[in-house]
Amino acid sequence: MRRREARSPSTPQHERADLPALADREGVLEELVRVICEAWTSFDAPRPAEPQLGEELAARLVAPLPEGPGDVEDALSDAARVLDASVSPSRPLNLGYIGSTGLEMGVLGSALAATYDVNLAVTAGGADLVEEQALRWLADFVGFPLAEGSFTSGGMTSNLTALLAARERALPGSRADGLHGRRAAAYCSEEAHHSVVRAVEVCGLGNAAVRRIPLDDRRRMRPDALDAAISRDAASGITPVAVVATAGTTLTGAVDPLDDVADVCGRHGVWMHVDGAYGLPAAAVPETAPLFAGLERADSTTVDAHKWLGVQKSCSAVMLRETGRLRAAFGHEERYMLHEGDVPNPVDRTLEYSRPLRSLRLWMALRVHGAAQYRIWIKRTLDNARHLTGLLREAPDFELLHEPMLSTVCFRHAPSGLRDPDAHNLRLAREMQRDGRVFLAPASVDGRACLRACFVNFRTTARDVERILPVAREVGGRLVRP
């Protein structure tokens, strides 16, 4: 990269009219492209160890606020080294959490969106059409009858958006007047994501309003218990606001029986929301599509494209089956943001004001790769989970804790003579994260500490899967030696 010419220190900083511009834009971009290409190459295979920052760089990261200008090349180099020494979900054996997988098209979309910095609070011209098309494509891919929707900052915001719309339908006027002593409840399974609880809290209902419904033997919400809970609340004068079914729990990947849940919601006239942040893309794969029967009956659903669809954070979507519910929950009139007649501004359908064009990442990925390729990728990750499950069944020193429905597998290292399997597996998870070859997360299933692997990365191969147990056995063996 070409070095920039030094500026004369004699000119006061506040008098430099060209201060925001880089002196060598092309050179900076060339260096950035080199860094990105190196990163992409490093994502193609597992790493032998996790790199460290180094003492000099670590010291710079605790330095005070710089008063004067710095060198762009140095800043870019340090940023690249920091990120390379950070935990990245793009790596093939980063299986601990449900993260993005670093699709190249998502990087390009992110760069373009950041460059133009479009704001979707108001009409943004062509960007509005991209947003609408990306929503339609996403809805078509998973099989949801979209009437309206929006891209958001993440699953938490998407779930909250849907529940605020549900609250306004169940408790008309609550947006303006509050609850005024009215009691309400929301329902989800015992293993629903905590974002549901947070959303209920932000809605003003309080987390005591959350009804955790027991699980069946497949770790799914029990429709009979849901029906009984709604009936009890209705008889007590408590308004059921929404039922949140999960299409792929974070812990084990279980998919609630959506059709049966829809029957219960229909009988009681309750809003049905499907939290599909992680698992909903599997509805597009013939092998797992039957698990999602009844999705089309839901009032709303969410999906995080920055999980199983591979694009970078954050790119989540909330989709509704009926037009007008979002405007009822969020529409408003302000003197600084006037309406064209009765046509709503985009912000009238969302919780967020400054909203970037997050959908561009997914739009570009779908445009370039196509739905068929995505189905192949998702099927491959499902196969990886089945492959690991088979290896666990054949390994006498490991224990499988559930039958996977999607691509999440929870298991334990259980060598003979182990005195405290819970403490051992928690310690093993942390040691494997430090080791860096295979990144797994600690978890707890039915009170038993375990290791958790989730396959959403299209880069992970069957050969990569076969490295998991040997590494866990090696690291675990070191922990149990006297």
Side-chain angles (χ1 to χ4, degrees), residues 383-405:
D383 290 342
N384 285 338
R386 305 294 176 267
H387 189 29
L388 177 59
T389 300
L391 295 174
L392 286 165
R393 289 199 174 100
E394 296 172 358
D397 54 341
F398 285 91
E399 178 187 5
L400 179 68
L401 296 189
H402 67 102
E403 188 65 35
M405 294 181 72

Side-chain angles (χ1 to χ4, degrees), residues 41-48 89-95 101 380-381 383-389 391-392 411 432 436-440 453-473:
T41 300
S42 78
F43 297 158
D44 290 338
R47 293 204 285 198
S90 301
R91 306 194 184 283
L93 284 175
N94 188 297
L95 308 172
T101 55
R380 185 182 302 161
T381 59
D383 290 342
N384 285 338
R386 305 294 176 267
H387 189 29
L388 177 59
T389 300
L391 295 174
L392 286 165
F411 61 97
M432 290 188 70
R437 287 174 291 172
V438 179
F439 190 96
L440 300 177
C454 184
F455 297 93
V456 292
N457 194 331
F458 65 90
R459 293 183 172 93
T460 311
T461 67
R463 179 173 294 183
D464 295 330
V465 175
E466 291 164 4
R467 298 179 60 178
I468 298 171
L469 298 191
V471 172
R473 183 178 291 117

Side-chain angles (χ1 to χ4, degrees), residues 13-322:
Q13 195 168 17
H14 67 275
E15 295 180 7
R16 299 176 191 167
D18 61 339
L19 179 64
L22 295 176
D24 184 11
R25 290 175 174 173
E26 291 184 4
V28 170
L29 287 176
E30 288 174 5
E31 179 67 6
L32 179 60
V33 168
R34 185 192 65 78
V35 169
I36 291 174
C37 288
E38 283 187 359
W40 283 347
T41 300
S42 78
F43 297 158
D44 290 338
R47 293 204 285 198
E50 197 67 29
Q52 304 301 312
L53 285 175
E55 293 183 3
E56 290 186 6
L57 179 54
R60 287 198 290 276
L61 295 179
V62 295
L65 172 69
E67 185 64 33
D71 185 88
V72 64
E73 183 180 8
D74 292 341
L76 180 57
S77 175
D78 279 0
R81 289 173 59 193
V82 165
L83 292 172
D84 190 57
S86 301
V87 176
S88 172
S90 301
R91 306 194 184 283
L93 284 175
N94 188 297
L95 308 172
Y97 303 105
I98 310 172
S100 60
T101 55
L103 273 176
E104 287 87 346
M105 295 312 302
V107 174
L108 301 180
S110 298
L112 284 172
T115 299
Y116 286 91
D117 198 23
V118 170
N119 185 6
L120 293 178
V122 293
T123 299
D128 297 335
L129 301 179
V130 167
E131 184 102 340
E132 293 168 7
Q133 187 173 51
L135 272 174
R136 290 197 305 272
W137 284 353
L138 181 57
D140 289 345
F141 185 70
V142 300
F144 183 76
L146 174 72
E148 65 178 358
S150 176
F151 280 87
T152 79
S153 61
M156 166 69 224
T157 307
S158 290
N159 284 336
L160 174 59
T161 300
L163 288 181
L164 286 170
R167 186 194 66 177
E168 193 62 23
R169 190 183 79 169
L171 301 168
S174 58
R175 175 190 172 194
D177 302 322
L179 299 183
H180 276 296
R182 292 179 291 182
R183 295 183 297 163
Y187 310 81
C188 62
S189 85
E190 289 180 349
E191 291 186 354
H193 195 272
H194 190 69
S195 65
V196 176
V197 178
R198 284 188 174 182
V200 171
E201 291 173 344
V202 176
C203 283
L205 307 183
N207 57 39
V210 177
R211 307 289 188 260
R212 290 284 195 175
I213 306 302
L215 306 177
D216 64 14
D217 57 1
R218 300 181 67 189
R219 315 197 73 82
R220 308 177 305 168
M221 180 194 298
R222 283 175 41 201
D224 61 325
L226 171 65
D227 187 84
I230 295 176
S231 296
R232 283 194 302 270
D233 281 337
S236 301
I238 298 173
T239 300
V241 169
V243 172
V244 181
T246 305
T249 60
T250 301
L251 180 61
T252 64
V255 180
D256 288 335
L258 304 183
D259 234 352
D260 294 338
V261 171
D263 288 341
V264 174
C265 291
R267 283 196 298 272
H268 292 278
V270 180
W271 183 290
M272 176 181 172
H273 174 65
V274 175
D275 178 5
Y278 149 47
L280 195 55
V285 178
E287 177 184 6
T288 45
L291 297 173
F292 301 87
L295 171 68
E296 71 284 354
R297 301 171 62 190
D299 294 282
S300 58
T301 189
T302 58
V303 60
D304 287 353
H306 58 253
K307 289 188 170 71
W308 220 341
L309 296 179
V311 301
Q312 289 70 16
K313 295 177 286 292
S314 55
C315 184
S316 180
V318 56
M319 300 180 286
L320 280 75
R321 187 162 51 91
E322 182 182 351

